[in-house]
């Protein structure tokens, strides 16, 4: 497959900070640009989002941090089309979101695998054309080749999230949303999942929003970190550290982390 | 080794010790004249009655007709209960329309309807099938409905995000999620099925096991009466074994039903 014109899409914000332009062929589909236009969302009298405006160029990896209950999941649900804004609009690839988006895939904190489907049945849950081959390839991609016929119940937490990742990948999403997917994992597994996520993102170049309460995780993975506080974006900071990142090596990362923590 | 073998045989036989002892004591008591034959026949007499009924073919005839009534009633009533449960579980308008009426009807003990049923159907086949159907409908309805309403909302949401249409959603998420509850309903229904049939056949019938025992009662053939009771017990046990097998098959994904090995 030929290289896709990812670095300078016309009309988009070109301030992407993807530092690694690997020379291996990229197999993925194309990331979609994403825009939130003064989005608000209230539940009854509770104003969760009070006007969030945000422009994410295609292929960018954005992390959102913020206190629990701050509306992070709400943002993802709006982007996925699971929920509609009270006012304002969400625009993906030039189209206003008004329902579920086939180009958007969402990873939940609990992997949400169907317990009555085998691993491969879960990955190919939408049962598209040639779903078995596609699912098998995706499983191989996340390092779970050979586990196709296992029940989800026998997998570890990390493996379950790998299956969920494979499930998200099979449809070649333009936008991948990650809602604290690694929060429940132990530290080592989490590091493995970070590496895997970064590699898959680099290979497929989907636009990514990662929700996390772990500032170190945000700084390790994202091109850009947003702090959501009291319904607003309180901080929007680019992370232009070289990849792959080794947090203990780069003194700059500690400084960025401190800045973010101050705002949360 | 030897001791291990002996103790293994011992443990597998132990549960049978008490019943065997009881039967032996019963036989001795009858033969010694401690228990009158009019009260309770000896086990050997029951066995003789069993042989006789097999040889003249009456046993199969009665068992056949009873089983037919049971199955017809189960199909009709269980099917209706399952269908209504699915309908109310999936469609909100159907729930509003049907559920409260069914919940009210549920409080009428179906056996209380026997006089009415006799007026409606006489003592024909329909009367028994109708009673069984009414009896099994409610446990099937309640458990199907409950099973569907308690399917993990997160899984349904996931399925929608991953593009499953209504039919696939029902077939691959809602129905399997409700299945263990449906099976509980089926087990209840089977119990009610036999109970209803016993009562209905005892009160009014010209064939079937209930008729056989009531007929024997008129001639003080206590051996046949006891035989009838035992046959009911056997049929109940058989139905239970079959449901368990069905359960193991349908719920093979469930950790509680995985005997050994982890693959599908
Ligand atoms: N469907 C809903 N109905 C009512 N309140 C909701 C709903 N969804 C979220 N909320 C409220 O919105 C707030 C933000 O929730 P959420 O976006 O899940 O926060 P976060 O993911 O940052 O922890 C919480 O106070 C939550 O109770
Ligand atoms: Mg959340």
């Amino acid at each position: 497959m030929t290289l896709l014109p990812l670095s300078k899409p016309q009309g988009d914000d070109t301030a992407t900070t993807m530092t690694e332009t690997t020379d291996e062929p990229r197999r993925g589909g194309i990331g979609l640009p994403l825009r939130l236009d003064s989005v608000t969302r209230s539940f009854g009298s509770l104003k969760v989002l009070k006007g969030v405006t945000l422009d994410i160029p295609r292929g960018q990896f954005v992390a959102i941090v913020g206190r629990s209950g701050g509306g992070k999941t709400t943002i993802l649900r709006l982007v996925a089309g699971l929920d509609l804004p009270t006012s304002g609009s969400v625009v993906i690839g030039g189209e206003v979101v008004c329902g579920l988006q086939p180009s958007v895939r969402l990873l939940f904190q609990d992997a949400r695998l169907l317990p009555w489907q085998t691993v491969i049945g879960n990955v190919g849950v939408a049962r598209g054309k040639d779903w078995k081959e596609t699912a098998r390839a995706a499983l191989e991609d996340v390092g779970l080749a050979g586990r196709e016929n296992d029940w989800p119940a026998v997998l570890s937490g990390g493996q379950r999230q790998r299956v969920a990742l494979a499930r998200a990948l099979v449809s070649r999403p333009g936008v991948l949303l990650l809602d604290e997917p690694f929060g429940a994992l132990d530290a080592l597994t989490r590091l493995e999942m970070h590496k895997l996520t970064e590699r898959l993102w680099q290979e497929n170049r989907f636009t990514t929003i990662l929700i996390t309460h772990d500032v170190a995780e945000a700084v390790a993975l994202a091109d850009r970190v947003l702090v959501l506080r009291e319904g607003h974006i309180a901080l929007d900071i680019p992370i232009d550290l070289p990849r792959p990142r080794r947090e203990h090596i780069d003194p700059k990362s500690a400084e960025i982390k401190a800045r973010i923590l101050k705002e949360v | 080794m030897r001791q291990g073998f002996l103790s293994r045989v011992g443990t597998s036989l132990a549960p049978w010790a008490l019943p065997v002892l009881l039967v032996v004591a019963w036989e001795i008591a009858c033969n010694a004249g401690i228990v009158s034959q009019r009260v309770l026949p000896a086990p050997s007499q029951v066995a003789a009655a069993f042989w006789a009924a097999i040889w003249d073919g009456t046993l199969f005839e009665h068992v056949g007709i009873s089983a037919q009534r049971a199955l017809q009633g189960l199909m009709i009533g269980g099917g209706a209960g399952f269908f209504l449960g699915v309908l109310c579980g999936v469609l909100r308008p159907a729930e509003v329309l049907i559920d409260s009426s069914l919940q009210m009807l549920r409080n009428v003990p179906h056996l209380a309807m026997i006089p009415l049923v006799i007026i409606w159907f006489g003592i024909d086949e329909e009367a028994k099938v109708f009673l069984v159907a009414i009896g099994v409908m409610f446990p099937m309805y309640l458990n199907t409905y409950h099973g569907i309403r308690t399917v993990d909302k997160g899984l349904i949401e996931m399925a929608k995000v991953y593009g499953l249409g209504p039919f696939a959603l029902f077939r691959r998420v809602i129905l399997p999620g409700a299945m263990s509850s449906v099976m509980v309903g089926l087990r209840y229904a089977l119990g009610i099925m036999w109970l209803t049939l016993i009562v209905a056949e005892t009160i009014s019938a010209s064939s079937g096991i209930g008729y056989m025992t009531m007929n024997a009662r008129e001639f003080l053939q206590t051996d046949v009466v006891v035989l009838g009771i035992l046959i009911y017990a056997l049929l109940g046990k058989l139905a239970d074994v079959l449901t368990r097998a069905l359960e193991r098959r349908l719920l093979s994904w469930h950790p509680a039903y995985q005997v050994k090995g982890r693959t599908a």
Side-chain angles (χ1 to χ4, degrees), chain A residues 43 46 48 67-74:
Chain A
F43 297 105
L46 179 69
V48 178
R67 283 168 199 269
S68 126
K72 305 183 296 296
T73 299
T74 304

PDB file of all heavy atoms in Angstrom, chain A residues 43 46 48 67-74, ligand 1:
ATOM      1  N   PHE A  43     -27.320  17.538  32.093  1.00  0.00           N
ATOM      2  CA  PHE A  43     -28.252  16.500  32.523  1.00  0.00           C
ATOM      3  C   PHE A  43     -29.160  17.137  33.553  1.00  0.00           C
ATOM      4  O   PHE A  43     -28.738  17.370  34.689  1.00  0.00           O
ATOM      5  CB  PHE A  43     -27.516  15.307  33.117  1.00  0.00           C
ATOM      6  CG  PHE A  43     -26.611  14.617  32.126  1.00  0.00           C
ATOM      7  CD1 PHE A  43     -25.240  14.789  32.184  1.00  0.00           C
ATOM      8  CD2 PHE A  43     -27.145  13.799  31.134  1.00  0.00           C
ATOM      9  CE1 PHE A  43     -24.414  14.153  31.273  1.00  0.00           C
ATOM     10  CE2 PHE A  43     -26.316  13.161  30.220  1.00  0.00           C
ATOM     11  CZ  PHE A  43     -24.958  13.341  30.289  1.00  0.00           C
ATOM     12  N   LEU A  46     -27.778  19.873  35.892  1.00  0.00           N
ATOM     13  CA  LEU A  46     -26.327  19.706  36.001  1.00  0.00           C
ATOM     14  C   LEU A  46     -25.648  19.994  34.665  1.00  0.00           C
ATOM     15  O   LEU A  46     -25.862  19.291  33.686  1.00  0.00           O
ATOM     16  CB  LEU A  46     -26.026  18.264  36.430  1.00  0.00           C
ATOM     17  CG  LEU A  46     -24.546  17.895  36.569  1.00  0.00           C
ATOM     18  CD1 LEU A  46     -23.913  18.599  37.755  1.00  0.00           C
ATOM     19  CD2 LEU A  46     -24.389  16.387  36.692  1.00  0.00           C
ATOM     20  N   VAL A  48     -22.690  19.685  32.652  1.00  0.00           N
ATOM     21  CA  VAL A  48     -21.444  18.916  32.658  1.00  0.00           C
ATOM     22  C   VAL A  48     -20.417  19.550  31.730  1.00  0.00           C
ATOM     23  O   VAL A  48     -19.275  19.774  32.119  1.00  0.00           O
ATOM     24  CB  VAL A  48     -21.719  17.456  32.253  1.00  0.00           C
ATOM     25  CG1 VAL A  48     -20.423  16.675  32.207  1.00  0.00           C
ATOM     26  CG2 VAL A  48     -22.685  16.817  33.236  1.00  0.00           C
ATOM     27  N   ARG A  67     -10.691  15.513  36.544  1.00  0.00           N
ATOM     28  CA  ARG A  67     -11.216  14.812  37.705  1.00  0.00           C
ATOM     29  C   ARG A  67     -12.353  13.879  37.312  1.00  0.00           C
ATOM     30  O   ARG A  67     -13.026  14.100  36.317  1.00  0.00           O
ATOM     31  CB  ARG A  67     -11.748  15.827  38.721  1.00  0.00           C
ATOM     32  CG  ARG A  67     -10.637  16.482  39.493  1.00  0.00           C
ATOM     33  CD  ARG A  67     -11.157  17.675  40.255  1.00  0.00           C
ATOM     34  NE  ARG A  67     -10.028  18.528  40.597  1.00  0.00           N
ATOM     35  CZ  ARG A  67      -9.347  18.408  41.733  1.00  0.00           C
ATOM     36  NH1 ARG A  67      -9.683  17.496  42.617  1.00  0.00           N
ATOM     37  NH2 ARG A  67      -8.332  19.194  41.973  1.00  0.00           N
ATOM     38  N   SER A  68     -12.553  12.886  38.131  1.00  0.00           N
ATOM     39  CA  SER A  68     -13.648  11.966  37.857  1.00  0.00           C
ATOM     40  C   SER A  68     -14.971  12.708  38.045  1.00  0.00           C
ATOM     41  O   SER A  68     -15.120  13.543  38.932  1.00  0.00           O
ATOM     42  CB  SER A  68     -13.497  10.756  38.764  1.00  0.00           C
ATOM     43  OG  SER A  68     -14.639  10.540  39.484  1.00  0.00           O
ATOM     44  N   GLY A  69     -15.899  12.449  37.127  1.00  0.00           N
ATOM     45  CA  GLY A  69     -17.159  13.174  37.132  1.00  0.00           C
ATOM     46  C   GLY A  69     -17.079  14.496  36.402  1.00  0.00           C
ATOM     47  O   GLY A  69     -18.028  15.273  36.393  1.00  0.00           O
ATOM     48  N   GLY A  70     -15.942  14.746  35.765  1.00  0.00           N
ATOM     49  CA  GLY A  70     -15.745  16.024  35.095  1.00  0.00           C
ATOM     50  C   GLY A  70     -16.316  16.103  33.687  1.00  0.00           C
ATOM     51  O   GLY A  70     -16.251  17.148  33.054  1.00  0.00           O
ATOM     52  N   GLY A  71     -16.836  14.990  33.187  1.00  0.00           N
ATOM     53  CA  GLY A  71     -17.462  15.033  31.865  1.00  0.00           C
ATOM     54  C   GLY A  71     -16.614  14.455  30.745  1.00  0.00           C
ATOM     55  O   GLY A  71     -16.921  14.642  29.569  1.00  0.00           O
ATOM     56  N   LYS A  72     -15.563  13.726  31.089  1.00  0.00           N
ATOM     57  CA  LYS A  72     -14.689  13.160  30.052  1.00  0.00           C
ATOM     58  C   LYS A  72     -15.429  12.090  29.237  1.00  0.00           C
ATOM     59  O   LYS A  72     -15.397  12.093  28.007  1.00  0.00           O
ATOM     60  CB  LYS A  72     -13.434  12.553  30.698  1.00  0.00           C
ATOM     61  CG  LYS A  72     -12.668  13.541  31.579  1.00  0.00           C
ATOM     62  CD  LYS A  72     -11.400  12.966  32.138  1.00  0.00           C
ATOM     63  CE  LYS A  72     -11.601  11.793  33.089  1.00  0.00           C
ATOM     64  NZ  LYS A  72     -12.338  12.109  34.338  1.00  0.00           N
ATOM     65  N   THR A  73     -16.081  11.177  29.944  1.00  0.00           N
ATOM     66  CA  THR A  73     -16.835  10.148  29.232  1.00  0.00           C
ATOM     67  C   THR A  73     -17.940  10.784  28.390  1.00  0.00           C
ATOM     68  O   THR A  73     -18.207  10.351  27.269  1.00  0.00           O
ATOM     69  CB  THR A  73     -17.438   9.146  30.239  1.00  0.00           C
ATOM     70  OG1 THR A  73     -16.366   8.522  30.943  1.00  0.00           O
ATOM     71  CG2 THR A  73     -18.260   8.092  29.547  1.00  0.00           C
ATOM     72  N   THR A  74     -18.538  11.827  28.936  1.00  0.00           N
ATOM     73  CA  THR A  74     -19.596  12.521  28.195  1.00  0.00           C
ATOM     74  C   THR A  74     -19.074  13.015  26.849  1.00  0.00           C
ATOM     75  O   THR A  74     -19.751  12.869  25.826  1.00  0.00           O
ATOM     76  CB  THR A  74     -20.134  13.693  29.040  1.00  0.00           C
ATOM     77  OG1 THR A  74     -20.577  13.175  30.291  1.00  0.00           O
ATOM     78  CG2 THR A  74     -21.268  14.387  28.342  1.00  0.00           C
TER      79      THR A  74
HETATM   80  N1  LIG C   1     -26.991   9.892  31.375  1.00  0.00           N
HETATM   81  C1  LIG C   1     -26.718  10.703  32.417  1.00  0.00           C
HETATM   82  N2  LIG C   1     -27.733  11.184  33.167  1.00  0.00           N
HETATM   83  C2  LIG C   1     -27.478  11.995  34.204  1.00  0.00           C
HETATM   84  N3  LIG C   1     -26.266  12.396  34.581  1.00  0.00           N
HETATM   85  C3  LIG C   1     -25.212  11.960  33.885  1.00  0.00           C
HETATM   86  C4  LIG C   1     -25.384  11.079  32.766  1.00  0.00           C
HETATM   87  N4  LIG C   1     -24.171  10.806  32.247  1.00  0.00           N
HETATM   88  C5  LIG C   1     -23.286  11.467  33.009  1.00  0.00           C
HETATM   89  N5  LIG C   1     -23.904  12.160  33.991  1.00  0.00           N
HETATM   90  C6  LIG C   1     -23.246  13.010  34.979  1.00  0.00           C
HETATM   91  O1  LIG C   1     -22.343  13.829  34.311  1.00  0.00           O
HETATM   92  C7  LIG C   1     -21.166  13.994  35.077  1.00  0.00           C
HETATM   93  C8  LIG C   1     -19.954  13.658  34.231  1.00  0.00           C
HETATM   94  O2  LIG C   1     -19.934  12.282  33.972  1.00  0.00           O
HETATM   95  P1  LIG C   1     -18.778  11.599  33.133  1.00  0.00           P
HETATM   96  O3  LIG C   1     -18.732  12.226  31.777  1.00  0.00           O
HETATM   97  O4  LIG C   1     -19.026  10.154  33.176  1.00  0.00           O
HETATM   98  O5  LIG C   1     -17.483  11.986  33.958  1.00  0.00           O
HETATM   99  P2  LIG C   1     -16.003  11.389  33.849  1.00  0.00           P
HETATM  100  O6  LIG C   1     -15.975  10.412  32.734  1.00  0.00           O
HETATM  101  O7  LIG C   1     -15.126  12.582  33.631  1.00  0.00           O
HETATM  102  O8  LIG C   1     -15.702  10.761  35.170  1.00  0.00           O
HETATM  103  C9  LIG C   1     -21.308  13.134  36.313  1.00  0.00           C
HETATM  104  O9  LIG C   1     -21.682  13.951  37.388  1.00  0.00           O
HETATM  105  C10 LIG C   1     -22.419  12.197  35.948  1.00  0.00           C
HETATM  106  O10 LIG C   1     -23.165  11.873  37.092  1.00  0.00           O
END
